[in-house]
Amino acid sequence: MTKKLLLILTILTFLSCGNESDKMIYKTKGGEFASQAGNFIAGFPTKPNYSAIDNQIGLDKFQIHLFRSTLGPNKTFSVEYNDYPEHMIKLSITNEQLYSQGVTNFSNKMAEAFKLEFQEPIEQHGLKGHYFVLNLNQNAIDKGIKGHIQGKLFRQGNRVYTVTYIGKNDKNTDKFMQSFRLIK
């Protein structure tokens, strides 16, 4: 009897714990995925995995929260957000300056294989942001690599969201990129 009770308690403990990803992202009734902590909804094609990366700029420490869904090795859909310390995102920095710097930083990070082709201000679901596209550079094309990057940056207070698709053309890309919105 004690062994059965112990087994039942162990099973219930495992079932109630879940994992970190289950606590951070859930499927909505409409079939999209949402994060209460991240305060967003997005149309990922499959359930995204969640990870948190510790980051530091100077003495300021914060986490990068990353939600990533893949359709094979060459199609990655992601939403990431950072809650920057208030003094890092000063009220005197305009959204346009923040977006310009964000696109520049992202482009520089991807410069080995990609180059910035296009960028423009956008509004999506009542949220102002910035859209950009990076295409492969000639060196990457010569190596037989295929794909592109689409990205969007949004700011809400001291939180900055980066929504990206990296990979070959896919029918889910536009739906995913256009679905991102904040939970009201």
Side-chain angles (χ1 to χ4, degrees):
M1 179 69 166
T2 308
K3 288 182 181 180
K4 286 183 182 179
L5 183 59
L6 184 59
L7 179 62
I8 290 170
L9 288 175
T10 303
I11 291 171
L12 288 175
T13 301
F14 281 119
L15 291 175
S16 66
C17 289
N19 64 36
E20 189 68 16
S21 184
D22 290 340
K23 294 176 187 175
M24 291 300 291
I25 193 88
Y26 60 93
K27 194 168 192 173
T28 67
K29 290 179 183 175
E32 295 176 304
F33 291 90
S35 171
Q36 197 70 37
N39 193 42
F40 72 85
I41 299 171
F44 289 96
T46 61
K47 183 175 182 182
N49 291 317
Y50 167 75
S51 59
I53 303 164
D54 292 326
N55 198 12
Q56 184 170 346
I57 298 176
L59 298 176
D60 295 307
K61 295 180 181 182
F62 56 95
Q63 286 190 318
I64 299 170
H65 301 272
L66 179 61
F67 301 83
R68 182 173 287 158
S69 170
T70 60
L71 292 176
N74 297 315
K75 298 177 182 179
T76 304
F77 304 79
S78 66
V79 172
E80 78 176 47
Y81 71 87
N82 312 326
D83 289 323
Y84 289 104
E86 287 287 333
H87 67 276
M88 287 181 73
I89 302 254
K90 300 175 189 134
L91 296 177
S92 61
I93 295 177
T94 67
N95 286 349
E96 290 74 25
Q97 290 169 323
L98 180 78
Y99 299 147
S100 176
Q101 187 61 51
V103 170
T104 299
N105 290 346
F106 191 92
S107 297
N108 289 341
K109 186 168 62 171
M110 305 304 285
E112 187 174 321
F114 293 91
K115 62 183 176 197
L116 180 63
E117 290 290 334
F118 177 80
Q119 60 180 317
E120 70 178 355
I122 59 165
E123 187 171 332
Q124 181 168 305
H125 302 286
L127 191 60
K128 292 185 180 193
H130 207 78
Y131 173 71
F132 61 95
V133 175
L134 284 78
N135 285 322
L136 290 165
N137 61 30
Q138 192 58 50
N139 187 35
I141 292 170
D142 292 343
K143 291 180 181 178
I145 298 172
K146 295 181 181 171
H148 71 285
I149 298 173
Q150 291 183 43
K152 293 183 178 180
L153 294 170
F154 299 101
R155 175 183 181 181
Q156 183 71 26
N158 67 324
R159 180 172 284 180
V160 176
Y161 294 94
T162 306
V163 181
T164 56
Y165 172 74
I166 301 174
K168 298 177 182 178
N169 290 333
D170 185 86
K171 65 180 181 177
N172 296 293
T173 305
D174 288 340
K175 178 184 170 199
F176 168 72
M177 295 300 291
Q178 294 169 8
S179 70
F180 178 84
R181 63 197 178 277
L182 298 181
I183 298 173
K184 296 185 182 197

